[in-house]
Amino acid sequence: MFRMSTTTTATSPALAKKEEPPPAKGNLYTIVQGQLDKASKAINLSREIALILSQPKNELIVHFPVRMDDNSYRLFKGYRIQHNNILGPYKGGIRYHEEVTLDEVKGLAAAMTWKCALHDIPYGGAKGGIKFNPRLHSKSELERITRRYTHALGANIGPEFDIPAPDVGTNAQTMVWVMDTYMNVVGFHEKNAMRRVVTGKTIAAGGSYGRETATGQGVVHCITEWAKDRRFNLNGCSFTVQGFGNVGSHAAKILAKIGASMVAVGDYKGYIANPEGINPHKLAEHVAQTGSVEGYKHSRPITRDEFFAAESDIFIPAALELEIGEKEAKALRCKVVVEGANGPTYPEAEALLLDRGVDVIPDILANSGGVTVSYFEWLQNKRSERWELEEVEDKLERRMKRTYQHAADFAQERKLDFRSACYGIGLQRIEAAYSERGIFP
Ligand code: NAD
């Protein structure tokens, strides 16, 4: 499942075209802090609360050795950042990527705090990661890396304390390895209760129906609410997706079901387009076989620049953070950017988009379907229940739509951009909790 081809096939036209490489990325943590400052001013957040939220509560860095298939040892660096838990246990994904850094994980952990607070989900925010490229490892190496990382975290995670979930480069299988290791190393006294130490598990291991598709489904709920507000007909419209993994592929499949057409898509290896539409189901089969969208036969390869300039109604970034800079914002020809990925847009680029009349549905709302169904999974585990798919999907839809409309009203009443409104709602909930509880002692 994880092992993907790493050899470059015969030079594709996409790679052959000359293109400036994207510039080095900015610091996600600084950018998230800037967004926090902006929203704090907009809602008059107390200085004391802003001070508390300016740094994560806990920053864990672990180094652990893992035996490779050839019997050599390799040392890995892993992170777990626990940003805030005033509203409930820490919650957030685990990322496997070669560019994971402390500040990236800090930024992503902070975003989880605002996301859960925005939805009134009783969780705080966290994030974890290991700095390595999972595509270069066999399934058995991935299992040992995951189990050693979990062992290194030890009792720093737990079903009532800090609950990981999948993110870039990890999936349901990864979560099952985390769960199994945790149960056997830390929580062996009450094994069944320990299943909810992670969410996003396989169904067989206690996962929830609807979790795998939840983030993409949540993206689409935001799009349907946006379309309703803008009186825009989604049937027959076009969209483009950057990143065709869990979030991007499911959003694309669900959008196709309601009559929208994917005209361009890209991943870590390259970009492809077809103005007549690309079938996301067939593309997903191609990706499962080859590891990338590249080489899909019912399309032509395009450059990254051409991808951003491709005309479509909806643009869904669903890959990594900080992909939309000023250059990309000027190139985009869409009506709305729906942030499936966490932190895909630089603030300067967002300002340009808003000036041009392009709407931006911010990450903490747009991709919150994942943590919402993670919460449902955790509740099912806690109550020893299994909810039907329809029940999960109904609950998700209601919550996404309610939160979307709440944020839209908040933005309108206070004359705020959508992102500041979403942050503002979350921050007010956090402020209320702190002002009642105070700080110890
Ligand atoms: P994934 O690993 O399943 O997929 C990531 C996709 O991005 C892959 O198609 C990969 O090839 C592509 N990609 C990687 N680097 C790229 C690059 N430089 N340029 C273009 N494409 C690139 O990950 P995912 O779970 O789908 O997560 C995608 C984004 O959504 C991340 O920002 C993640 O934090 C966010 N997110 C995920 C969830 C979830 O439930 N999985 C929930 C909320 C937010």
Side-chain angles (χ1 to χ4, degrees):
M1 188 184 309
F2 279 99
R3 198 189 255 289
M4 298 178 187
S5 166
T6 52
T7 47
T8 314
T9 45
T11 316
S12 75
L15 294 175
K17 285 188 187 175
K18 276 232 151 107
E19 189 183 13
E20 289 280 304
K25 288 193 178 176
N27 182 306
L28 183 68
Y29 187 61
T30 313
I31 289 167
V32 170
Q33 286 300 104
Q35 288 164 342
L36 170 66
D37 290 347
K38 186 175 166 198
S40 303
K41 283 193 191 103
I43 61 152
N44 269 326
L45 185 77
S46 94
R47 290 169 68 127
E48 286 74 19
I49 308 300
L51 178 73
I52 293 171
L53 297 175
S54 68
Q55 287 292 337
K57 277 191 150 180
N58 304 317
E59 299 179 18
L60 281 107
I61 302 181
V62 292
H63 293 99
F64 51 96
V66 180
R67 187 172 41 78
M68 300 288 101
D69 291 342
D70 66 1
N71 276 327
S72 66
Y73 287 2
R74 199 179 137 186
L75 197 65
F76 288 82
K77 186 190 264 291
Y79 302 90
R80 187 71 185 166
I81 303 297
Q82 294 164 336
H83 179 262
N84 190 274
N85 62 348
I86 185 80
L87 297 180
Y90 299 109
K91 183 86 188 90
I94 295 176
R95 177 173 291 197
Y96 288 175
H97 195 274
E98 61 275 25
E99 278 158 24
V100 163
T101 63
L102 177 64
D103 275 359
E104 177 192 53
V105 187
K106 281 171 72 175
L108 293 168
M112 283 303 294
T113 300
W114 325 136
K115 196 181 297 182
C116 296
L118 164 65
H119 264 290
D120 208 5
I121 290 174
Y123 283 146
K127 204 80 179 189
I130 308 178
K131 191 179 184 67
F132 80 110
N133 183 347
R135 289 189 189 86
L136 303 180
H137 293 269
S138 66
K139 189 172 177 186
S140 57
E141 285 181 351
L142 289 169
E143 175 172 356
R144 289 196 293 278
I145 293 165
T146 303
R147 287 186 183 277
R148 282 302 307 235
Y149 170 64
T150 310
H151 179 263
L153 292 179
N156 290 299
I157 58 170
E160 299 296 331
F161 179 67
D162 182 359
I163 306 138
D167 190 73
V168 174
T170 56
N171 60 19
Q173 173 66 78
T174 325
M175 293 307 112
V176 176
W177 289 327
V178 174
M179 178 192 81
D180 188 73
T181 309
Y182 182 85
M183 275 179 172
N184 283 294
V185 175
V186 183
F188 47 84
H189 47 286
E190 262 188 295
K191 275 199 173 175
N192 261 331
M194 297 303 147
R195 291 198 304 176
R196 60 181 197 277
V197 67
V198 281
T199 57
K201 301 180 287 288
T202 60
I203 299 295
S208 174
Y209 291 115
R211 174 59 185 91
E212 199 192 319
T213 52
T215 312
Q217 177 69 74
V219 166
V220 179
H221 286 316
C222 289
I223 293 172
T224 50
E225 288 306 284
W226 169 85
K228 204 167 72 187
D229 285 354
R230 294 285 181 210
R231 297 182 206 288
F232 178 79
N233 187 0
L234 290 172
N235 193 358
C237 81
S238 57
F239 66 96
T240 49
V241 186
Q242 188 197 33
F244 201 71
N246 174 285
V247 180
S249 68
H250 288 299
K253 287 178 193 170
I254 300 165
L255 275 173
K257 230 193 296 181
I258 57 177
S261 165
M262 180 164 74
V263 292
V265 56
D267 64 15
Y268 80 104
K269 237 177 160 187
Y271 294 88
I272 58 170
N274 182 349
E276 303 299 314
I278 296 168
N279 182 322
H281 295 274
K282 289 198 175 134
L283 180 62
E285 283 168 21
H286 173 83
V287 173
Q289 280 162 15
T290 67
S292 164
V293 301
E294 210 182 47
Y296 179 62
K297 62 182 175 197
H298 309 289
S299 68
R300 72 181 176 88
I302 55 171
T303 64
R304 185 178 183 276
D305 285 351
E306 287 168 333
F307 170 75
F308 276 97
E311 193 158 356
S312 73
D313 298 304
I314 301 163
F315 180 77
I316 306 171
L320 298 178
E321 62 271 11
L322 303 179
E323 284 289 321
I324 309 176
E326 292 183 65
K327 180 176 118 181
E328 289 79 12
K330 283 179 191 153
L332 278 173
R333 291 190 289 162
C334 60
K335 296 181 175 61
V336 61
V337 172
V338 191
E339 294 184 339
N342 281 307
T345 316
Y346 281 91
E348 305 77 21
E350 182 173 13
L352 276 173
L353 289 166
L354 297 179
D355 268 0
R356 288 180 41 209
V358 177
D359 292 326
V360 177
I361 305 180
D363 48 6
I364 62 166
L365 174 61
N367 67 35
S368 57
V371 72
T372 303
V373 177
S374 272
Y375 173 52
F376 297 160
E377 178 178 331
W378 186 78
L379 283 180
Q380 289 170 72
N381 291 165
K382 206 170 158 99
R383 301 172 184 170
S384 296
E385 288 176 1
R386 172 85 83 193
W387 300 354
E388 306 267 324
L389 177 63
E390 293 70 30
E391 187 178 352
V392 173
E393 289 187 336
D394 275 3
K395 284 190 157 88
L396 172 65
E397 181 172 0
R398 256 182 286 137
R399 199 179 264 269
M400 288 301 303
K401 293 188 168 177
R402 189 177 66 207
T403 304
Y404 185 102
Q405 288 309 332
H406 183 188
D409 294 346
F410 195 91
Q412 202 180 24
E413 280 158 23
R414 296 176 180 242
K415 302 197 177 5
L416 295 176
D417 61 82
F418 214 7
R419 189 183 311 279
S420 298
C422 289
Y423 268 63
I425 294 170
L427 287 172
Q428 283 188 340
R429 292 204 169 109
I430 293 168
E431 183 172 41
Y434 270 116
S435 57
E436 285 169 14
R437 285 172 57 173
I439 56 165
F440 177 82

